[in-house]
């Protein structure tokens, strides 16, 4: 398994200074910056769009999570605004293979996400085309929710299926991640941890990054 990566979710940051918050997370040891895009349709909430992402200056890996009904309509916008990875939902209304292909044609990594009640098997047909699978451990749409433990076996199922296919993909987990739940998902097979509220509200962000990666004791 790869080294554990931390993707800092700006949804949990002080959005009045999002650019400096992203840099603060990177300086504390976060690896990626996670941008949650919500359209008020696929999920109730509305968050960021491509212009917000484009305004984030500096050297960073932009991990874009599209929680939108028609992600295939958005790929060009986010490619132009600096995405390195675009993840969309299998439950969206876009054709999955078409959307993966569109992301790849833009020269980006493609990820596919599943909600808590969607079975792991929903992503199996696409594993040979993906660079990442995102397992939501809360219902998408709002930050600060509690971790849903029943989602954990899906992480292991996806990792095992990927290994059977000889696919060395990232498995990302998002929702309710803190120093207590991070080891649970890492042991299950995750190697990218999304952290928003826990990271940005912590008194010592660098230590929190190490805790989430399993590099420090509680």
């Amino acid at each position: 398994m790869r080294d554990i990566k931390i993707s800092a979710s700006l949804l949990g940051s002080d959005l009045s200074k999002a650019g400096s918050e992203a840099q603060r997370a990177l300086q504390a040891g976060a690896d990626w910056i996670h941008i949650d895009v919500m359209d008020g349709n696929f999920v109730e909430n509305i968050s960021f769009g491509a212009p917000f992402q484009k305004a984030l200056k500096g050297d960073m890996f932009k991990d874009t999570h599209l929680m939108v009904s028609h992600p295939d309509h958005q790929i060009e916008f986010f490619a132009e605004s600096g995405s390195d990875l675009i993840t969309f939902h299998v439950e969206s209304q876009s054709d999955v293979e078409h959307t993966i292909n569109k992301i790849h044609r833009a020269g980006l990594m493609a990820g596919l996400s599943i909600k808590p009640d969607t079975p792991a098997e929903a992503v199996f047909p696409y594993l040979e085309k993906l660079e990442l699978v995102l397992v939501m451990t809360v219902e998408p749409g709002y930050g600060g929710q509690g971790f849903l433990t029943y989602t954990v076996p899906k992480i292991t199922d996806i990792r095992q299926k990927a290994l059977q296919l000889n696919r060395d993909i990232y498995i990302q987990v998002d929702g309710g991640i803190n120093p207590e739940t991070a080891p649970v998902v890492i042991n299950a097979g995750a190697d990218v941890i999304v952290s928003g509220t826990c990271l940005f509200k912590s008194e010592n962000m660098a230590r929190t990054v190490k805790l989430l990666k399993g590099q420090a004791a509680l």
Side-chain angles (χ1 to χ4, degrees), residues 114 119-121 123-124 127 135 150-164 171 188-189:
I114 52 175
E121 290 77 11
V123 302
F124 287 1
L127 288 178
V135 177
Y150 70 84
T151 60
V152 173
K154 293 194 291 185
I155 301 168
T156 302
D157 292 345
I158 294 166
R159 177 61 70 197
Q160 289 177 343
K161 184 64 175 179
L163 289 172
Q164 289 173 12
I171 298 183

Side-chain angles (χ1 to χ4, degrees), residues 68-133:
V68 303
S69 294
H70 297 281
D72 60 330
H73 297 174
Q74 301 295 319
I75 304 308
E76 290 90 349
F77 297 122
F78 284 95
E80 291 171 2
S81 65
S83 294
D84 295 284
L85 160 70
I86 295 180
T87 300
F88 67 100
H89 276 261
V90 72
E91 305 93 351
S92 74
Q93 296 179 41
S94 295
D95 179 86
V96 174
E97 287 205 31
H98 167 72
T99 307
I100 293 170
N101 290 338
K102 201 167 186 180
I103 294 169
H104 284 157
R105 284 197 300 272
L108 310 177
M109 295 168 60
L112 189 61
S113 182
I114 52 175
K115 293 181 179 181
D117 292 334
T118 300
E121 290 77 11
V123 302
F124 287 1
Y126 311 106
L127 288 178
E128 294 189 284
K129 290 193 169 185
L130 295 168
E131 283 74 46
L132 178 145
V133 172

Side-chain angles (χ1 to χ4, degrees), residues 16-99:
S16 69
K17 47 184 180 180
S20 61
E21 286 282 77
Q23 292 302 321
R24 183 166 72 97
L26 294 170
Q27 290 165 10
D31 303 281
W32 298 353
I33 298 299
H34 190 83
I35 297 117
D36 287 303
V37 180
M38 308 179 195
D39 64 354
N41 188 4
F42 183 76
V43 294
E44 291 182 356
N45 206 359
I46 297 174
S47 60
F48 318 128
F52 171 89
Q53 179 173 276
K54 190 172 184 178
L56 297 173
K57 304 300 183 184
D59 184 19
M60 67 184 74
F61 184 100
K62 292 181 179 178
D63 168 22
T64 308
H65 178 194
L66 299 183
M67 289 174 272
V68 303
S69 294
H70 297 281
D72 60 330
H73 297 174
Q74 301 295 319
I75 304 308
E76 290 90 349
F77 297 122
F78 284 95
E80 291 171 2
S81 65
S83 294
D84 295 284
L85 160 70
I86 295 180
T87 300
F88 67 100
H89 276 261
V90 72
E91 305 93 351
S92 74
Q93 296 179 41
S94 295
D95 179 86
V96 174
E97 287 205 31
H98 167 72
T99 307

Side-chain angles (χ1 to χ4, degrees), residues 145-185:
Q145 299 181 63
F147 181 79
L148 298 173
T149 56
Y150 70 84
T151 60
V152 173
K154 293 194 291 185
I155 301 168
T156 302
D157 292 345
I158 294 166
R159 177 61 70 197
Q160 289 177 343
K161 184 64 175 179
L163 289 172
Q164 289 173 12
L165 296 171
N166 198 29
R167 289 290 294 155
D168 184 23
I169 65 170
Y170 289 110
I171 298 183
Q172 184 179 70
V173 177
D174 184 2
I177 301 298
N178 56 44
E180 289 75 35
T181 56
V184 175
V185 300

